[in-house]
Every structure is written in structure tokens, then in C-alpha cells.
Amino acid sequence: MVVKKKIRVMHVAQPAGGVDRYLRMLLKYLDKQRIENIVVLSQDFHREDYKELADFYETVEMQRAIGVQDLKAIYQVRKLIKKYCPDVVYAHSSKAGAIARVADIGMSNRCIYNPHGWAFNMKTSSKTQKMYTMIEKMAALFCDMIICISDAEKKSALEKRICKEEKLQVIFNGVDIDAYEEAEHGLIKRTTLGIPDDAFVVGMVGRLCKQKAPDVFVKAAKLIKQDIPSVHFIIVGNGEMEAEVRKYAEENGLSDSLHITGWVENPMSYVELFDVACLVSRWEGFGLALPEYMLAGKPIVATRVDAIPDIIKDGENGLLVEVDDITGIYMAIMRLNQNMKVRDALISKAKQSVIRFDAKRVSAEHQELFEKM
């Protein structure tokens, strides 16, 4: 019997957070009899998280900001490519995408890039957006395939003429349905946060940063509290806007009803406390929190931007509002508070929708791609 050689894949990633969760989910369901995984990760990742997932683990210091230190990172990644001789180099996110693709120039392997959300779609100055677009166009010349995590991401790439359409492949993001169903639930109690069991709770999962719009969330919270004095709000995450959000809460009588958890290992345990789940992003490559909310059976209010309408169909499996529309968010949440029939219908449809975002499907589509390449 002829034993097939394993396909050796080297994953390179710089930011942790969502990319870390994505990578661990992807590696978990790849066939270990067919795929050998090497991970080359920045200092922001934790080796112990990959002990059972990766065959080899390497750390290369990579910074988010563009600078001369990137040359050292490129040299180190190229050295590791020569050491391991992977069949495929798979770069995750913009920074690692630039470093790994430059490091891989002239190597005899295939190269895949997954931006996990285009940097040029961020709400920044037009000058910065043009710079990111130019970098992506140039770097696209040095890879064989670009993975888009949503149809909106592919559309953006085509509109910006990043590369030819045949170089783009959509593999929708996913969540680990089996892990959630098998996990122990109810580990976090409302009383742990000082929330009464009978309170109406509105929550969001995401970094406290401009993209996730926690400032908009807390301003909508003020309007809701005027109508429902006993309401409580949970933000699962941390970030540079935390002080600003806390200051607004203090100045507007929300301090006792706003709970910011900071970074947590088990965000789904907190999602289980929500009555309504929000994702009010200003831009979004996919919005992994959305299928997680669906999985937990929570009615969703989200913004109508980028990839979100690929996942949430307004009035079917969630409610959509415009970006920065504080009044719209308030009205949608109040509707869900007052109309149980609408809530139940949205939850039921969302639970049917989440199947298409199963992590096993994400890994299977990647494995098929690796084998074709």
C-alpha cells in the first residue's frame, strides 16, 4: 500500500484575538493524517494553546505598526521556510500577510493569504486607505490564492482591483458548534456580575475599539435605560476605548448597570447571560460574534455594513440598523424587549442559519484547497 506524503502547511500570523481563535478552530478539524501543521506566530500568542494542534511551533516577533523591525521578521520567517520546507505557506492577516509573502519570494511552494478583513476597509483617512490598497495590490503578486472570509470581502477586493477574480476564493468563517454543544453551560451567573436574575440584559462581544463602536453601544444604552430603569449592559472584551466608555457611563448614570469584563477565555459563557446580543461595528470583515450569538440562541441587533448582511437577513434571523445609528439601535432593542413573538421567530431562524458556519466545513474547504494546490 502506498502511503501518501503529508501536506506540510506553515501558518504565519501576527495579531492574536480573532485570528488566534480562527487558527485554533481551523487546525482542530484538519485531518492530521493528511496535513502537518507548522505555526509561526507572534509574541502575542501562547504556545500552550497549540500543544495539541500544531506539529511545530515557532515564535517570530512581529509588530502591528509598519517599521524597520519588519525586515528582521521577514528574515526570520524566510529562515523558517527554508528550515521546514512547507508545501504551503498560509499567511493570516494583513501584517503577517505582507511579511510572509515577501519572505516566501523565490521559494518552491504555494502561498495562500487570508486578510481576515481588508485593512483598506477600515474607517481611516483616504490617504491611509490608498496606502493599504497599494500594499495589497503589490503583495497579491507574490501569492497563489487569497482567501476571503465573506462575499463582501471578495467584492471589496474586486472593486479595489487587488487581483484577478480567479485568485480569490471565498471560505466563510465558522464557529465550533460541537465544542459549544459539548461544553458545560451556566458557568457564569448573572449574580457574579451583580446583575439580578430577572433583569433585561443587553450585551456585545468585541474589542473596545473604533471598529466595534462601544461608544455607540453605550449611547444607545442611555436611551434604553430611560425606558427600562432596571436594564443591565455587558461588554465582553477590552481595548483602548475602555476609559472613554467608562467615563460616558459615569457621566450619564450608567456606571451601576454597565459591566465590562475585560478579555476573557470563555466569551460564550457571558453571551449566555444576554437577552439581546449586539454587534454594532463600523466595518466588519465577517463578524464571528454573530454565528456565536446564533449558537447561544440570542436575538441579534447588528449594523448593515460590509459582511454582516451576508450573515444577518433583516427581519429573518436578526435586525439590522445603520452604522452609528444610536436611535435605530435603541428602537430595535426595545422592539425585542416588547415583542416576544418577534424575538422567538428570529432565534428560531438563526439556529437554522448557524449550521452553514460550522467550523468543520471551514477546515474541510481548506483541506480540499491544500490538496488541489
Side-chain angles (χ1 to χ4, degrees):
M1 185 178 74
V2 178
V3 179
K4 285 187 178 181
K5 174 180 171 288
K6 284 186 177 183
I7 301 167
R8 180 171 273 201
V9 182
M10 177 180 282
H11 302 267
V12 185
Q14 177 268 319
V19 173
D20 181 23
R21 290 163 63 200
Y22 182 95
L23 191 51
R24 284 196 269 167
M25 174 199 72
L26 173 64
L27 298 180
K28 179 179 177 181
Y29 291 112
L30 286 174
D31 184 354
K32 292 175 178 56
Q33 301 301 313
R34 293 288 298 120
I35 309 292
E36 185 177 51
N37 292 294
I38 304 134
V39 294
V40 178
L41 307 176
S42 78
Q43 64 283 1
D44 296 333
F45 290 77
H46 302 289
R47 182 182 293 267
E48 58 271 21
D49 292 337
Y50 290 83
K51 189 176 179 182
E52 305 296 327
L53 299 173
D55 298 279
F56 302 95
Y57 187 104
E58 299 280 357
T59 301
V60 169
E61 189 158 329
M62 291 180 263
Q63 304 298 332
R64 187 167 187 171
I66 297 171
V68 69
Q69 70 275 0
D70 295 338
L71 296 175
K72 184 179 179 182
I74 289 168
Y75 170 76
Q76 290 178 329
V77 172
R78 187 173 180 85
K79 199 173 173 182
L80 290 169
I81 293 171
K82 289 179 178 179
K83 174 183 175 180
Y84 287 102
C85 300
D87 299 298
V88 177
V89 171
Y90 189 178
H92 299 265
S93 77
S94 301
K95 189 56 177 289
I99 289 170
R101 284 182 286 179
V102 172
D104 198 50
I105 291 173
M107 298 294 188
S108 57
N109 56 50
R110 298 289 185 168
C111 184
I112 302 173
Y113 168 52
N114 185 335
H116 293 273
W118 294 110
F120 54 70
N121 279 338
M122 295 191 299
K123 298 298 184 284
T124 56
S125 68
S126 60
K127 183 179 178 181
T128 302
Q129 288 178 347
K130 286 176 182 176
M131 180 188 73
Y132 286 141
T133 302
M134 181 186 69
I135 291 171
E136 291 290 2
K137 282 183 178 180
M138 291 173 60
L141 299 172
F142 304 112
C143 65
D144 300 283
M145 185 67 68
I146 296 176
I147 303 298
C148 300
I149 55 176
S150 66
D151 290 329
E153 288 291 285
K154 180 178 178 180
K155 184 181 177 183
S156 289
L158 293 173
E159 287 174 349
K160 297 287 187 180
R161 299 183 179 179
I162 299 301
C163 61
K164 292 184 178 179
E165 186 170 4
E166 54 264 30
K167 191 175 271 193
L168 299 168
Q169 178 165 333
V170 176
I171 299 181
F172 269 97
N173 218 332
V175 289
D176 195 339
I177 295 175
D178 283 1
Y180 180 72
E181 291 180 344
E182 293 166 6
E184 187 178 351
H185 301 289
L187 294 175
I188 305 294
K189 307 295 183 186
R190 287 187 171 189
T191 51
T192 306
L193 300 180
I195 300 173
D197 285 333
D198 60 350
F200 181 64
V201 177
V202 181
M204 63 168 272
V205 175
R207 276 187 54 77
L208 282 90
C209 61
K210 184 179 179 182
Q211 179 195 359
K212 301 297 183 181
D215 52 324
V216 172
F217 177 83
V218 77
K219 286 172 184 174
K222 178 185 176 182
L223 298 180
I224 295 163
K225 191 167 178 64
Q226 289 171 358
D227 285 356
I228 312 173
S230 61
V231 69
H232 280 255
F233 304 92
I234 301 175
I235 300 178
V236 183
N238 60 7
E240 59 271 19
M241 290 181 69
E242 182 171 343
E244 177 187 332
V245 169
R246 287 192 183 277
K247 183 181 178 185
Y248 181 88
E250 187 177 344
E251 291 174 350
N252 290 274
L254 292 167
S255 290
D256 292 341
S257 53
L258 176 66
H259 312 271
I260 301 176
T261 68
W263 186 89
V264 296
E265 183 68 40
N266 54 337
M268 290 295 280
S269 293
Y270 291 88
V271 172
E272 290 175 355
L273 307 181
F274 300 175
D275 289 303
V276 174
C278 298
L279 187 70
V280 294
S281 305
R282 292 185 167 102
W283 68 89
E284 195 63 71
F286 181 82
L288 192 57
L290 296 173
E292 290 178 334
Y293 294 161
M294 292 176 176
L295 199 54
K298 304 302 175 182
I300 296 167
V301 174
T303 39
R304 188 183 282 104
V305 66
D306 298 333
I308 291 178
D310 289 343
I311 305 166
I312 300 297
K313 306 303 177 188
D314 188 32
E316 292 184 26
N317 59 356
L319 299 179
L320 293 179
V321 298
E322 300 307 318
V323 172
D324 290 344
D325 184 359
I326 296 164
T327 303
I329 296 166
Y330 154 73
M331 290 175 66
I333 292 171
M334 290 304 298
R335 182 183 175 194
L336 294 173
N337 172 256
Q338 295 166 0
N339 194 325
M340 291 299 293
K341 188 175 180 181
V342 170
R343 276 186 64 184
D344 292 345
L346 294 177
I347 291 169
S348 176
K349 189 69 176 179
K351 283 187 173 179
Q352 296 171 34
S353 305
V354 77
I355 301 302
R356 66 189 282 243
F357 303 111
D358 192 347
K360 289 180 180 177
R361 187 264 312 152
V362 179
S363 294
E365 290 183 18
H366 273 90
Q367 185 152 325
E368 184 180 349
L369 176 61
F370 296 153
E371 291 178 345
K372 280 182 180 177
M373 297 183 80

